[in-house]
Amino acid sequence: MNIKSLAALALLCVGLSACGSSVARPDVVTALADPNQKLAVVDVTCTAGSATKIDPVTLDRIKTGILNELEHAKPVSLMANANPDARPISLKVNLTSYEEGNAAARLMLMGLGQMHIDSDIEIVDASGNTIGAYKIAKQFALGGVVGATTSIKDVESGFESSVVELVRDPSKTASSPRDKPKKKLKPL
């Protein structure tokens, strides 16, 4: 292989590995009464469901990642101390599934050894009432070199970004009207 081919292959691998850190749209369980209202986070808690195998260090890493993403969100921080005019909320993140997958299996064939993080997210107001509930699922199943070189931390990064996007704009969900076809398709 010449240098140009190797460089192109390297760029392709880097580009495809970014899929692990891409944003996933949440599914609505209970929508906010006003999904266009500005929200500002006071606190984040991360827990694991009873059937989820995740250690406390990983839970803390995900919580810290979410807080860091919220603090450094563009164009402005989504933390309450930076947004006094926004509605203060707390986020309760309950991981219902956390699978690190298997890099060797992903190397062999796409779909094998996939990684995924599933969670239930509750948005809680200052009085302790749950005002919104969502589900976020983030997965990665590409194969080959890209699959073998992408780690669960890349998927965690995408999950953290997905939580931040939920806070930034709760109206952008998987069940959003803009995701539905505008016309009904007629069978051939």
Side-chain angles (χ1 to χ4, degrees):
M1 273 190 172
N2 63 28
I3 296 291
K4 287 181 182 179
S5 297
L6 286 174
L9 180 61
L11 284 173
L12 177 65
C13 289
V14 169
L16 289 175
S17 67
C19 295
S21 59
S22 64
V23 174
R25 286 190 171 187
D27 288 319
V28 177
V29 176
T30 305
L32 292 169
D34 180 6
N36 296 315
Q37 180 179 13
K38 298 291 181 202
L39 304 174
V41 177
V42 175
D43 186 39
V44 175
T45 58
C46 283
T47 57
S50 59
T52 306
K53 295 176 182 154
I54 187 168
D55 59 271
V57 172
T58 303
L59 272 175
D60 189 53
R61 182 177 65 232
I62 292 171
K63 176 184 175 177
T64 301
I66 292 170
L67 286 168
N68 187 45
E69 289 266 338
L70 289 164
E71 181 69 35
H72 297 97
K74 302 291 182 206
V76 295
S77 169
L78 294 171
M79 297 299 290
N81 57 0
N83 294 296
D85 297 333
R87 183 176 188 176
I89 60 152
S90 294
L91 291 175
K92 291 185 178 181
V93 179
N94 182 42
L95 299 173
T96 56
S97 180
Y98 182 89
E99 294 292 329
E100 292 187 34
N102 183 299
R106 286 191 304 275
L107 176 65
M108 290 187 289
L109 186 64
M110 181 168 52
L112 294 180
Q114 67 180 320
M115 299 178 275
H116 65 271
I117 301 172
D118 298 338
S119 70
D120 296 327
I121 311 284
E122 288 183 30
I123 298 176
V124 180
D125 68 8
S127 61
N129 296 318
T130 299
I131 58 172
Y134 299 84
K135 290 184 177 293
I136 294 178
K138 184 71 186 122
Q139 66 235 1
F140 182 87
L142 284 178
V145 174
V146 174
T149 59
T150 302
S151 75
I152 190 66
K153 289 183 181 178
D154 297 318
V155 179
E156 286 175 12
S157 176
F159 173 76
E160 294 156 4
S161 296
S162 301
V163 172
V164 170
E165 286 304 311
L166 172 62
V167 173
R168 182 189 326 275
D169 189 354
S171 68
K172 291 183 180 175
T173 63
S175 56
S176 172
R178 69 184 128 226
D179 290 338
K180 296 178 181 158
K182 295 190 183 353
K183 295 180 181 177
K184 289 188 177 182
L185 299 175
K186 296 178 183 176
L188 296 175

